[in-house]
Amino acid sequence: MSVSLRDVAKAAKVSVGTVSNVLNRPEVVAPETLARVQGTIKDLGFVPNGFARHLRSGNSRTLGLIVPDVANPFFTEVARGVEDAASKRDYAVFLCNSDESATKEDRYINILIEQQVRGVLITPTDVKSDRLDAMRERGIAVTLVDREIKGRKQCSVSVDDIHGGQLGIEYLTGLGHTEIAWVCGPDSIPQVADRGAGVAKAAKFAGATVETIRVSLMNTTQGEEAAKKILALKTIPTAIFCANDLLALGVMRTLRENKLRIPEQISVLGYDDIEFAASAAVPLSSISQPAYQMGVTAADLLLNECEEAETHEHQQIRFQPQLVERASTGKR
């Protein structure tokens, strides 16, 4: 059975009001009484109802984090950064997985509003969604993660994905590759569209030919299917650039099953530089994003807004991607 405030007061031989002061205003309680009540709380295993207390004070110490795919190690790292930064400031985080579904996203937003979270970090399915404004109108701070939109009244943390796409093609053409496959998800995902724009711009400048292989989901299974399509092409490209590392790992698995040597016969470049990239059977070259630091930065921006709303200035922070060269890429 749960222990109540009244049970603690009875066992410590003090009033309920004194126990409340020990929990909320310990500085006003006599040292001897404070020690006795704290000892009783520990002995009885009493856990304060923080949610009810925060409702009364109007200062919840919970945040929401909505990501499109928690199974993707990139977002796992983002979540770890968010949680570490929040924990340092005594906040807890509710993690929600939208699966890139606007319906699931709306459901989680409603739940977080009902729970009266202090703020929400979100990688939205649509940056123009009215649901973002709905949260702000209810006094819930909102920070975009891995998304950016100008002119909105919220902070954002993102990566320059156009530059990332360019960086990948410039690297591959610099190795002598002029026939390249670009494996990506739908353009409705802003990062995919931006990376694709960078790919097209750099390919045009370098005079390279790019064959786009589009998949519905950005995971290893779809990477395997994409590789099968590439191998069925009349002219097989000498390099494959994938819009994330999960796709690249799936691509490499199929290439190796078909006895193609990486990178001697075909080079593979990923994007994100997830933890598994370095430990793949053929260590994967990748365009690196600082996922953990993005999570920390986004959480700090959100909490600054929560705690200093009157003086807070919204910031749009954009990180620059970097090339990490490993064994999966080589000269043509």
Side-chain angles (χ1 to χ4, degrees), residues 223-233 254 257-258:
E224 292 171 4
E225 294 303 312
K228 293 175 184 176
K229 293 179 181 178
I230 291 170
L231 294 178
L233 294 172
T254 294
E257 287 173 354
N258 283 270

Side-chain angles (χ1 to χ4, degrees), residues 13 55 92 109 112 119 152 209 258 262 267 288-289 291:
K13 296 182 173 55
L55 282 180
I109 287 174
L112 294 174
R152 302 276 290 200
T209 300
N258 283 270
I262 304 169
S267 289
S288 177
Q289 299 191 89

Side-chain angles (χ1 to χ4, degrees), residues 30-243:
E32 184 179 324
T33 303
L34 179 65
R36 185 167 78 254
V37 174
Q38 288 176 334
T40 302
I41 288 172
K42 182 177 180 180
D43 291 342
L44 295 180
F46 172 69
V47 179
N49 188 337
F51 181 64
R53 185 167 72 251
H54 292 146
L55 282 180
R56 290 193 296 271
S57 67
N59 290 315
S60 166
R61 301 199 74 81
T62 55
L63 307 175
L65 170 61
I66 304 177
V67 298
D69 183 8
V70 74
N72 185 330
F74 170 77
F75 288 108
T76 303
E77 276 296 286
V78 169
R80 191 167 70 88
V82 168
E83 198 280 330
D84 283 353
S87 181
K88 285 181 180 179
R89 294 168 72 164
D90 196 28
Y91 281 78
V93 181
F94 293 124
L95 176 60
C96 309
N97 181 57
S98 72
D99 284 325
E100 288 284 3
S101 164
T103 301
K104 282 190 71 175
E105 181 179 279
D106 282 350
R107 176 173 172 269
Y108 279 127
I109 287 174
N110 287 333
I111 290 172
L112 294 174
I113 289 173
E114 289 172 4
Q115 293 296 315
Q116 298 193 23
V117 296
R118 193 82 174 272
V120 171
L121 301 117
I122 182 171
T123 305
T125 55
D126 180 2
V127 293
K128 298 179 182 179
S129 171
D130 291 338
R131 303 295 290 151
L132 303 181
D133 290 330
M135 287 189 284
R136 294 194 59 80
E137 288 167 2
R138 288 169 170 78
I140 298 174
V142 177
T143 292
L144 303 187
V145 183
D146 203 30
R147 294 286 193 273
E148 181 183 31
I149 185 169
K150 300 185 185 300
R152 302 276 290 200
K153 295 182 178 180
Q154 70 236 330
C155 292
S156 68
V157 176
S158 62
V159 170
D160 187 348
D161 282 310
I162 293 177
H163 178 60
Q166 288 180 261
L167 190 61
I169 294 298
E170 288 169 357
Y171 168 63
L172 292 174
T173 55
L175 292 174
H177 299 282
T178 57
E179 300 286 336
I180 302 168
W182 166 239
V183 179
C184 62
D187 268 348
S188 57
I189 301 173
Q191 293 97 322
V192 172
D194 285 349
R195 292 169 195 177
V199 164
K201 182 177 180 180
K204 182 178 180 180
F205 182 80
T209 300
V210 174
E211 179 80 27
T212 298
I213 306 295
R214 204 173 293 280
V215 297
S216 57
L217 298 171
M218 308 248 287
N219 57 31
T220 54
T221 300
Q222 292 286 291
E224 292 171 4
E225 294 303 312
K228 293 175 184 176
K229 293 179 181 178
I230 291 170
L231 294 178
L233 294 172
K234 186 175 181 179
T235 301
I236 298 176
T238 61
I240 302 172
F241 185 15
C242 298

Side-chain angles (χ1 to χ4, degrees), residues 265-310:
Q265 290 176 284
I266 191 163
S267 289
V268 181
L269 176 64
Y271 202 113
D272 285 343
D273 194 29
I274 61 176
E275 185 178 355
F276 301 141
S279 58
V282 179
L284 177 65
S285 296
S286 186
I287 304 299
S288 177
Q289 299 191 89
Y292 178 83
Q293 189 57 45
M294 289 171 68
V296 170
T297 303
D300 283 340
L301 287 174
L302 183 73
L303 290 171
N304 289 344
E305 181 178 357
C306 290
E307 296 175 352
E308 303 167 16
E310 297 300 320

